[in-house]
Amino acid sequence: MQLSEAVWESCSQGSVLQPLWDYLRLHHSSTLRSPLFPVILSVSSYFVLCLPYLLCDVAGKKWPAIYRYKIQPDRLPTFTMMLRCAGVTLRNNVFLVFPAAVAQWAWRPPVPLPEQAPTLLELVGGVAGNLLLFDLQYFIWHLLHHRVRWLYVTFHAIHHEYSAPFSLATQCLGGWELVTVGFWTTINPVLLRCHLLTTWAFMVTHVYVSVEDHCGYDFPWSTSRLIPFGVYGGPNKHDVHHQKPNTNFAPHFSHLDKLFGTHSDFSFIKTK
């Protein structure tokens, strides 16, 4: 079947995502089925999404229209801090994530790409479901690693070296934490029986909102301002967590912190 015929047939079946999926499936099948593709997608998305916020930090007060949205205006990251975080991220991915992705090929060989694309509702619902499930998992993990001192000092303390978060600090993590986060990101779409396109959309979305949570800026277009009723935390709430580490443990949403009494609203805390 020619590509034009496949696209026409898919459109007639009702999924607006079908033309995109047909193009990817028919032209890039070997790339998409590679065990390294999700890792490359995640890592490349991470550094690309960090870049705009890094430019804001480098420009600083030279961009007053942007700088006025800085949550802690007297705490800009230095070049040394940025370089260290980027180094930690690359080291973890090279020595932990990439080998794990290759090893995964042994127990979960690549499967044929499905012919049908998910509907737009299935994709949006799948992304939201994965974010909510990850929110629960990481909330429990995060809470334990703050309440049990040995866990905090051994695994999580590296992430709290900076009381004023910035984008590249998002994945400045210990190896154990990165592996845990990567495991949930990988296994949750399988548990929820998501389409591969939904899985990849979730991965990129998850990277975006994680970087946004750590960016250090509260822009009018931040996700927390677009989602009503205060159900989403966003950079303000996560900034508070880095200033008051016993609050706001959930990575994205705010309902779990409110339910368990660990929620704290934004209040600027001057630090020396």
Side-chain angles (χ1 to χ4, degrees):
M1 179 183 294
Q2 294 183 354
L3 177 61
S4 58
E5 295 176 352
V7 170
W8 172 259
E9 181 179 346
S10 63
C11 287
S12 65
Q13 294 175 352
S15 175
V16 296
L17 299 174
Q18 194 67 46
L20 171 63
W21 179 243
D22 284 336
Y23 173 79
L24 294 174
R25 180 173 57 87
L26 296 174
H27 289 83
H28 303 285
S29 177
S30 58
T31 300
L32 299 178
R33 296 176 70 237
S34 168
L36 295 181
F37 174 72
V39 180
I40 295 172
L41 176 66
S42 178
V43 174
S44 59
S45 298
Y46 175 69
F47 284 106
V48 168
L49 291 170
C50 282
L51 185 59
Y53 299 114
L54 290 178
L55 293 176
C56 294
D57 287 332
V58 170
K61 295 181 180 180
K62 296 177 183 178
W63 286 358
I66 297 296
Y67 190 72
R68 66 194 180 104
Y69 295 110
K70 188 86 172 83
I71 297 173
Q72 296 190 56
D74 60 340
R75 304 295 299 274
L76 283 170
T78 64
F79 178 75
T80 301
M81 293 162 63
M82 296 179 187
L83 192 63
R84 179 178 182 272
C85 288
V88 170
T89 300
L90 289 173
R91 183 192 66 200
N92 285 338
N93 278 282
V94 169
F95 292 105
L96 293 173
V97 177
F98 275 95
V102 174
Q104 176 183 316
W105 207 355
W107 66 270
R108 193 184 174 211
V111 296
L113 300 178
E115 293 187 3
Q116 294 298 315
T119 66
L120 188 59
L121 183 60
E122 287 172 342
L123 185 138
V124 173
V127 170
N130 276 284
L131 287 174
L132 286 167
L133 180 56
F134 180 87
D135 215 57
L136 172 62
Q137 293 162 331
Y138 191 79
F139 174 84
I140 297 171
W141 188 100
H142 201 185
L143 182 66
L144 287 174
H145 281 67
H146 274 270
R147 297 294 168 83
V148 180
R149 178 169 177 76
W150 178 81
L151 292 175
Y152 179 84
V153 172
T154 307
F155 301 115
H156 190 55
I158 183 176
H159 188 62
H160 279 272
E161 291 181 1
Y162 309 106
S163 59
F166 56 99
S167 59
L168 279 178
T170 306
Q171 291 190 12
C172 189
L173 309 171
W176 163 246
E177 181 168 359
L178 185 65
V179 168
T180 305
V181 169
F183 174 76
W184 288 329
T185 305
T186 302
I187 202 68
N188 285 355
V190 178
L191 296 176
L192 297 180
R193 302 175 65 85
C194 291
H195 191 281
L196 284 174
L197 192 59
T198 303
T199 300
W200 301 330
F202 158 63
M203 292 173 60
V204 175
T205 303
H206 183 242
V207 170
Y208 170 72
V209 294
S210 297
V211 170
E212 184 190 57
D213 284 349
H214 290 84
C215 72
Y217 293 86
D218 184 25
F219 292 118
W221 56 84
S222 295
T223 307
S224 57
R225 293 186 176 274
L226 299 178
I227 298 178
F229 310 119
V231 298
Y232 192 85
N236 269 339
K237 298 295 174 63
H238 197 72
D239 201 280
V240 171
H241 171 72
H242 277 257
Q243 297 177 65
K244 299 191 292 183
N246 286 319
T247 63
N248 297 349
F249 294 109
H252 305 310
F253 299 92
S254 59
H255 60 285
L256 291 171
D257 282 301
K258 291 178 179 179
L259 181 63
F260 289 96
T262 54
H263 177 263
S264 179
D265 284 316
F266 172 74
S267 59
F268 180 72
I269 301 171
K270 289 187 177 181
T271 53
K272 295 183 180 179

